[in-house]
Amino acid sequence: MSIKVTVLVQKEDNWYVAKCIDNNVASQGKTIEESLSNLKEALELYYENEKPETMNVQTFITTMEVAI
């Protein structure tokens, strides 16, 4: 079985932090690819003994400009 999750990757200092928006699982790496690979491993461990509550829920991500 496989599921799709929504992931956000941000650069923090010398690391890339990958975070799953659906369940707040996060990991990091020196490159984007490494952070995503580490997150994939963390998510596989997270879901090892349980099924996700929602599967394949359509998610929309956008940006918004706010005056400050």
Side-chain angles (χ1 to χ4, degrees):
M1 176 192 345
S2 65
I3 61 169
K4 288 186 180 183
V5 294
T6 306
V7 175
L8 172 70
V9 179
Q10 293 179 304
K11 185 160 185 172
E12 295 183 13
D13 297 322
N14 294 326
W15 294 91
Y16 287 93
V17 178
K19 180 178 179 182
C20 178
I21 295 173
D22 304 316
N23 56 23
N24 292 322
V25 173
S27 193
Q28 63 186 17
K30 289 286 187 180
T31 65
I32 292 172
E33 294 78 15
E34 183 180 14
S35 69
L36 290 172
S37 177
N38 292 341
L39 178 62
K40 182 177 180 180
E41 182 180 352
L43 287 168
E44 289 169 347
L45 291 170
Y46 179 83
Y47 286 118
E48 190 173 55
N49 294 319
E50 66 178 74
K51 282 191 171 185
E53 291 180 18
T54 57
M55 298 184 58
N56 299 322
V57 175
Q58 194 171 20
T59 303
F60 298 94
I61 304 280
T62 188
T63 59
M64 178 184 300
E65 187 172 330
V66 178
I68 55 172

